[in-house]
Amino acid sequence: MTTTIDSAQKLHLVFGGELESLDGIRFADVKGLDIVGIFPDFASAQIAWRAKAQSTVDNALTRYFIVHLHRLLEP
């Protein structure tokens, strides 16, 4: 069985949490990561990412990321 991915559907994951330090990307509490959601395109993921990032601007150690899931799913 061959699996194909709809080229119009480019899934993106938005998540974040508090880092141990500003020197790298190692989370202080992996179990406490904030999974914002999975979005059908980069534009909607970016809107969600920006909202979460701006809401945590007072905490320098909190970071949010966009993961291009469609790149991981394509062979």
Side-chain angles (χ1 to χ4, degrees), residues 38-69:
I38 297 175
F39 300 87
D41 54 53
F42 182 77
S44 57
Q46 189 174 34
I47 290 168
W49 167 81
R50 183 171 284 119
K52 291 302 276 190
Q54 288 176 346
S55 74
T56 60
V57 72
D58 291 334
N59 184 348
L61 288 173
T62 300
R63 295 280 194 275
Y64 280 86
F65 300 91
I66 298 175
V67 178
H68 299 266
L69 290 179

Side-chain angles (χ1 to χ4, degrees), residues 1 3 5 14 20 23 26-27 32-33 43 46 49 52 55-57 62 69-70:
M1 177 192 256
T3 303
I5 296 174
V14 178
E20 288 183 350
D23 297 330
R26 185 172 175 89
F27 292 100
L33 288 176
Q46 189 174 34
W49 167 81
K52 291 302 276 190
S55 74
T56 60
V57 72
T62 300
L69 290 179
H70 62 94

